[in-house]
Amino acid sequence: GRYGLLVSHGDVLALAEIMLSICRDPATAHMIGARARQRVEQCYSIQMVAATYEELYSELTGGVEC
């Protein structure tokens, strides 16, 4: 995956295989980690989260400011 790797819930064998493959390939581990960090910084910055909450509160109150 671009930002991480997924396995089916409860599939411990698949999880172990993924973990071993990442351990064996540090370059891929670094790349996935760097992409994931960049995504979190872009999508979940304090400014982004605050703006999302502000928009939600505005929708819930019909735009009335408190």
Side-chain angles (χ1 to χ4, degrees), residues 14-26:
L15 178 60
E17 288 174 1
I18 292 274
M19 291 174 70
L20 285 173
S21 71
I22 288 296
C23 288
R24 291 180 182 133
D25 188 356

Side-chain angles (χ1 to χ4, degrees), residues 20-43:
L20 285 173
S21 71
I22 288 296
C23 288
R24 291 180 182 133
D25 188 356
T28 297
H30 178 76
M31 180 180 62
I32 289 173
R35 286 179 181 165
R37 180 185 180 102
Q38 181 182 31
R39 179 161 175 80
V40 167
E41 288 173 348
Q42 289 174 349
C43 297

